[in-house]
Amino acid sequence: MKKTLVLSLLLSFFAFGSFAQQGISFEHDANWASVVAKAKKENKLIFMDAYTSWCGPCKMLQAKVFPDKELGKYFNQTFVSAKFDMEKGEGPTLAQKFGVRAYPTLYFIDPNTQKVVHQVLGYRSVDQLLAIGKVAQTKKDESSSR
């Protein structure tokens, strides 16, 4: 009986911990139109990860950078984040629209104009991506005040 109670408590603890917010929260099963609509409604830039399934640096971002708690806290408050495989679904259309030339390309997009406010190519560390996000937000703020 004791073992069952301890096991139940441990399982409950781990289940609760898995729901805690960790890292960047990307829109799940989203299409471009729904991402744009959500960003407009929330008055946020879109952070888009343009990746492919075979891209090594893309996989490193996914494993080492995007899960960071502090990065997630800033990005989740500041941006509507979405990931699109540039070779599947809407990806090829988005790749053409935004001129993707290498992977990963990380975009910050104004949902009202669907114009790129800021972009970077390649792998970035947590600290670098946080700084890049702040630059993109500053550019948004500057364009809003004009």
Side-chain angles (χ1 to χ4, degrees), residues 116-128:
V116 175
V117 172
H118 194 59
Q119 75 182 52
V120 293
L121 300 173
Y123 178 85
R124 297 294 195 261
S125 69
V126 169
D127 291 339
Q128 290 172 327

Side-chain angles (χ1 to χ4, degrees), residues 51-60 103-104:
Y51 74 96
T52 64
S53 62
W54 49 262
C55 165
C58 301
K59 291 176 185 179
M60 286 176 45
Y103 303 105

